[in-house]
């Protein structure tokens, strides 16, 4: 015996799982069986004849009838000496009892479910004892009503049909006295030993439960206007219930219905009326409470699974629910507009009619057009996960539901709208964004969709003009429209909804909050000096970007990101600066805040170390090129390889050219001379910013400047030395020279800088990017990178990519890859467009101007 008990204990989890699956199978089977007995067309006809207030009252009666059964669970939890949260008790009790009503099996299903939901934290033997005490009183109320019904049959006059069921009423009536006697006589732990208060509460609960069932049936019949004598219907109802329970048929389906149809027909009630009566009773007492119970069941089951599997099922369910919601909303909107635009198509094509539940359920073009396009724009708000779309979505669905109920009842539409409502409510947590940013991706999709639907409507109008050749119309007959007047009403709807779309988008956008903050030079400098930076850190002082500063748990500002926002893209320039240990938390916080406000970060020209970190956050990447590094420790002009470089250096020294390092602050005369060199180098080209420095006195005053001077002590070339806030790496930014400077001046400047940095202990020099270098060279590379490879090889018309790499390769001892990472919710095409705009916009404030590709590439890489 002990071995058997141990075997069950080891497999208790599996047994519970099998039980839950079995219950689900039974319930689904019974619902399918009940569905076969229900004619939805008949229900639709009934609903159209009965006043709406009566239907609401029937629904209230059916729901109220479930409430007394809460008493079983209150007594059970008190017996188990455990406190349960009222909300949990309400949900689980409703779920257990409504499922038991459908599944049946003499209350055994309810016992199994109560063990699962209330017995987890309690000893198994104690749970079995408590449940056995509940089980024997489940039918006490039915037994009491059986005795009452027997008296009604006996004392109410001769009724041969009812008298034949007296034996069943006597049998059912004996159950309660026998159970009551057993619980009083026996003292065992399973049936006896029940406190008098608990015994009375269980009896009262069972009596109220069956009172609710009986009253539901009688009141629904009364609201239908059926004339009957309760003293005759009650015995019939109770006898049918006893037979159904004894047979243990789930939901008493079949035997109960047959008895009621035959019995009520014998009482003079038309059979068709009885069927409708039973139909409404099953709907309001069984099905609707059960559907509510299913919602509670799924919620509690998902909570258990969610807890067991670390929250993954919940996240998955919410995501799937949100996706289904968006698909259904867009599908509904498109179908409504199409049914209003080409109504004849839904008559001629059977498959199209079957696909569309909305066909012919909207009375005029005007509300159809308004409703269809409204659903589409609401769908955009829901797809963008904007919290402001929640209330309008619910309001629109409820308005549509009411319109359908009052104007043209359709079960398919009601089911679809109910699903939409459930999905909206269940997706509330997914609608977390505080504002709507209308991205290019969204505009493209919506623009095409709205344009196609509106254009189709306009074409239909032209096609139906009296002047249009009639002999053409037979080819596309489903384009025919009922009348010009109806078409014109739809056109007014389109014009009206266009105005509404602009208003609604503006509502979703809110206050157009931007993340980050303008440059605060003191805070940025303090962070960089305390925690270090990189070769891109100094670009923040160009003041053409926003900064985002992360503070650790101690409140210290440790990480700096610099970025620029265009459309919904927050383009972050380079790696974060500051304490590398805080980079993961800083990036996660930045992505979270950007997502909260509807933005998508793009990380531009970042190092390999950031690729794996951002990949965990769902980011894809594309290699942008390689960065040339010069090993200064081993750098030397000796050897055959450096013969040309030695010649350059000797020539410039012989011709009395001089290299010098100027330190700030610079005199106005020096700035003016540097500006003259810069302007001559630029010519007609515009300064660029973001990833490159531009000539700004405020910016140049922050760092040393390496210059080359001629024999007259005039500056002919210069490069500002960018602080990297690290002792290992050095680099430059602006690198400009006069047109009449001797050839090789930049080689002289570079080599002089290398030697100076080497003498100051710098380990390597960063010469900057060679764009598209070694990108897409493998056949297995991403398609985006393969396209970039073609640009690299055949793009010399626009820009000498290969020439730039060849020049930097003269000095480079190592090439380090650089990547751009973007969210999977972004289109790579629009990401690249945003990068081109931001990285090539002139610094004169005309940031929104899109330049030609040739000009962009020509001016792109200036270092």
């Amino acid at each position: 015996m002990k071995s058997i008990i141990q075997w069950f204990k080891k497999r208790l989890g599996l047994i519970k799982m099998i039980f839950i699956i079995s219950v689900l199978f039974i319930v689904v089977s019974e619902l399918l069986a009940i569905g076969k007995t229900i004619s939805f067309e008949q229900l639709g006809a009934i609903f159209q004849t009965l006043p709406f207030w009566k239907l609401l009252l029937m629904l209230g009666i059916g729901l109220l009838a479930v409430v007394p059964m809460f008493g079983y669970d209150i007594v059970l939890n008190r017996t188990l000496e455990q406190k349960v949260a009222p909300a949990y008790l309400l949900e689980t009790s409703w779920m257990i009892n409504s499922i038991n009503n459908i599944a049946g099996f003499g209350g055994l299903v309810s016992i199994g479910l109560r063990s699962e939901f209330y017995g987890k934290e309690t000893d198994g033997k104690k749970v079995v004892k408590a449940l056995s005490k509940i089980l024997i009183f489940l039918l006490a109320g039915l037994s009491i009503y059986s005795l009452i019904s027997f008296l009604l049959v006996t004392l109410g006059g001769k009724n041969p049909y009812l008298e034949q069921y007296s034996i069943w009423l006597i049998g059912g009536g004996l159950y309660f006295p026998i159970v009551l006697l057993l619980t009083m006589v026996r003292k065992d732990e399973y049936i006896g030993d029940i406190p008098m208060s608990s015994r009375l509460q269980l009896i009262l609960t069972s009596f109220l439960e069956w009172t609710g069932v009986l009253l539901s049936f009688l009141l629904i019949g009364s609201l239908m206007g059926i004339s009957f004598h309760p003293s005759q219907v009650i015995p019939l109802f109770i006898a049918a219930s006893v037979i159904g329970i004894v047979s243990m048929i789930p939901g008493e389906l079949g035997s109960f219905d047959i008895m009621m149809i035959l019995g009520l027909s014998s009482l003079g009630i038309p059979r068709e009326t009885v069927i409708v009566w039973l139909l409404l009773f099953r709907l309001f007492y069984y099905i609707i409470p059960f559907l509510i119970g299913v919602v509670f069941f799924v919620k509690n089951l998902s909570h258990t699974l969610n807890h067991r599997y670390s929250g993954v099922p919940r996240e998955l369910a919410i995501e799937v629910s949100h996706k289904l919601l968006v698909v259904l909303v867009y599908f509904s909107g498109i179908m409504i507009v199409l049914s209003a635009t080409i109504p004849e198509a839904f008559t001629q094509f059977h498959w199209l009619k079957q696909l569309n539940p909305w066909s012919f359920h909207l009375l005029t073009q005007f509300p159809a057009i308004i409703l269809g396009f409204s659903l589409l724009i609401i769908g955009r708000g829901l797809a963008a996960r904007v919290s402001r779309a929640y209330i309008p979505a619910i309001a629109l669905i409820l308005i549509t539901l009411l319109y359908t109920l009052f104007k043209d009842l359709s079960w398919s539409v009601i089911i679809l709208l109910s699903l939409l409502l459930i999905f909206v409510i269940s997706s509330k947590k997914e609608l977390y964004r505080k504002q709507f940013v209308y991205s290019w991706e969204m505009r493209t999709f919506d623009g095409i969709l709205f344009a196609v639907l509106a254009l189709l409507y306009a074409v239909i109008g032209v096609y139906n003009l009296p002047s249009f050749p009639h002999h053409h119309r037979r080819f596309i007959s489903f384009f025919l429209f009922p009348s010009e007047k109806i078409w014109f009403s739809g056109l007014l709807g389109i014009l009206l909804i266009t105005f509404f779309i602009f208003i609604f988008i503006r509502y979703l956008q809110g206050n157009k909050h931007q993340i980050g903050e303008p440059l605060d030079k003191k805070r940025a400098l303090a962070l960089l000096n305390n925690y270090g930076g990189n070769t891109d850190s100094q670009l923040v002082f160009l003041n053409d970007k926003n900064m985002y500063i992360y503070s650790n748990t101690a409140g210290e500002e440790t990480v700096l990101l610099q970025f620029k926002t265009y459309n919904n893209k927050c383009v972050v320039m380079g790696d974060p600066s500051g304490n590398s240990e805080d980079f993961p938390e800083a990036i996660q916080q930045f992505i979270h805040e950007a997502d909260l406000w509807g933005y998508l970060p793009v990380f531009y020209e970042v190092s390999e170390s950031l690729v794996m970190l951002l990949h965990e956050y769902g980011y894809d990447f594309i290699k942008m090129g390689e960065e040339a590094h010069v090993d200064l420790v081993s750098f030397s002009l000796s050897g055959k390889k450096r013969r040309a470089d030695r010649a350059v250096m000797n020539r410039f020294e012989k011709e009395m050219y001089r290299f010098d390092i100027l330190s700030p602050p610079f005199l106005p005369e020096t700035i003016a001379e540097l500006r003259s060199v810069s302007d001559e180098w630029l010519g007609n080209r515009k300064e660029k910013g973001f990833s490159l420095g531009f000539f700004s006195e405020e910016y140049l005053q922050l760092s040393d400047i390496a210059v080359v001077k001629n024999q007259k002590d005039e500056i002919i070339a210069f490069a500002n030395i960018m602080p990297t806030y690290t002792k290992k790496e050095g680099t430059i930014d602006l690198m400009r020279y006069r047109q009449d400077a001797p050839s090789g001046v930049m080689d002289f400047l570079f080599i002089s800088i290398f030697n100076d940095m080497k003498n100051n202990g710098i380990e390597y020099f960063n010469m900057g990017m060679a764009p598209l270098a070694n990108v897409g060279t493998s056949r297995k590379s991403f398609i985006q990178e393969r396209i970039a490879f073609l640009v690299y090889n055949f793009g010399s018309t626009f820009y000498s990519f290969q020439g730039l790499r060849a020049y930097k390769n003269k000095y480079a001892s190592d090439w380090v890859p650089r990547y751009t990472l973007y969210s999977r919710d972004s289109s790579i095409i629009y990401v690249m467009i945003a990068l081109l705009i931001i990285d090539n916009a002139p610094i004169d404030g005309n940031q929104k101007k899109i330049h030609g590709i040739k000009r962009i590439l020509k001016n792109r890489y200036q270092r």
Side-chain angles (χ1 to χ4, degrees), residues 276-287:
V276 173
W277 189 355
L278 290 170
L279 198 62
L280 291 176
F281 171 66
R282 287 207 174 275
L283 177 67
F284 290 117
Y285 179 75
Y286 285 100
I287 296 176

Side-chain angles (χ1 to χ4, degrees), residues 127-193:
V127 173
V128 172
K129 292 176 183 177
L131 288 172
S132 64
K133 295 168 185 176
I134 300 294
L135 179 62
I136 60 174
F137 281 102
L138 287 178
L139 300 177
L142 179 62
S143 180
I144 294 170
Y145 270 107
S146 296
L147 292 174
I148 295 171
S149 299
F150 177 73
L151 292 175
L152 289 174
V153 171
T154 304
L155 302 177
K158 290 287 184 179
N159 188 322
Y161 187 85
L162 292 176
E163 287 177 351
Q164 65 179 319
Y165 295 108
S166 296
I167 187 65
W168 290 100
L169 295 175
I170 294 171
L174 290 175
Y175 178 84
F176 173 63
I178 293 172
V179 166
L180 188 61
L181 184 63
L182 282 174
T183 57
M184 294 175 68
V185 173
R186 295 189 62 172
K187 301 299 180 183
D188 61 82
E189 298 176 331
Y190 293 92
I191 298 178
D193 194 25

Side-chain angles (χ1 to χ4, degrees), residues 648 651-652 655 657 737 739-748:
V648 170
R651 177 166 60 88
F652 271 82
E655 294 177 4
Y657 288 95
Y737 54 88
Q739 291 183 358
D740 59 356
S743 63
V745 66
M746 298 317 296
D747 290 311
F748 176 71

Side-chain angles (χ1 to χ4, degrees), residues 48-91:
Q48 286 180 340
T49 56
L50 285 173
F52 189 66
W53 69 268
K54 285 190 176 183
L55 294 173
L56 283 179
L57 191 56
M58 289 179 186
L59 175 61
I61 291 167
L63 297 179
L64 196 62
V66 180
V67 174
M69 289 183 271
F70 291 177
Y72 297 126
D73 303 294
I74 293 171
V75 174
L76 174 62
N77 282 283
R78 190 172 66 241
T79 304
L80 294 174
E81 299 177 345
Q82 59 186 16
K83 291 184 178 180
V84 179
Y88 180 77
L89 180 67
L90 185 148
E91 290 179 4

Side-chain angles (χ1 to χ4, degrees), residues 381-428:
L382 294 172
R385 305 171 190 267
V386 183
S387 59
R388 284 170 168 255
Y390 181 70
I391 298 300
I394 290 179
L396 180 62
I397 293 171
L398 289 176
I399 290 170
T400 310
L401 187 59
L402 290 174
Y403 181 85
T404 305
L405 287 171
F406 283 106
K407 293 294 183 182
D408 191 11
L409 183 68
S410 165
W411 278 104
S412 58
V413 174
I414 290 173
I415 292 170
L416 179 59
L417 288 172
S418 300
L419 283 174
L420 282 175
L421 193 60
I422 291 169
F423 283 140
V424 169
I425 294 171
S426 62
S427 298
K428 184 178 181 181

Side-chain angles (χ1 to χ4, degrees), residues 199-239:
R199 191 181 293 134
L200 292 175
Q201 285 181 0
L202 289 172
I203 294 169
L204 179 61
T205 297
S206 183
F207 180 78
L208 291 176
E209 174 195 351
W210 285 97
T211 301
V213 178
L214 190 58
L215 284 177
S216 294
F217 186 77
L218 296 176
L219 290 174
I220 286 171
S222 179
L223 288 169
M224 289 176 62
I226 301 172
S227 177
F228 60 87
H229 294 289
S231 60
Q232 294 179 323
V233 175
I234 290 174
L236 181 63
F237 184 91
I238 296 299

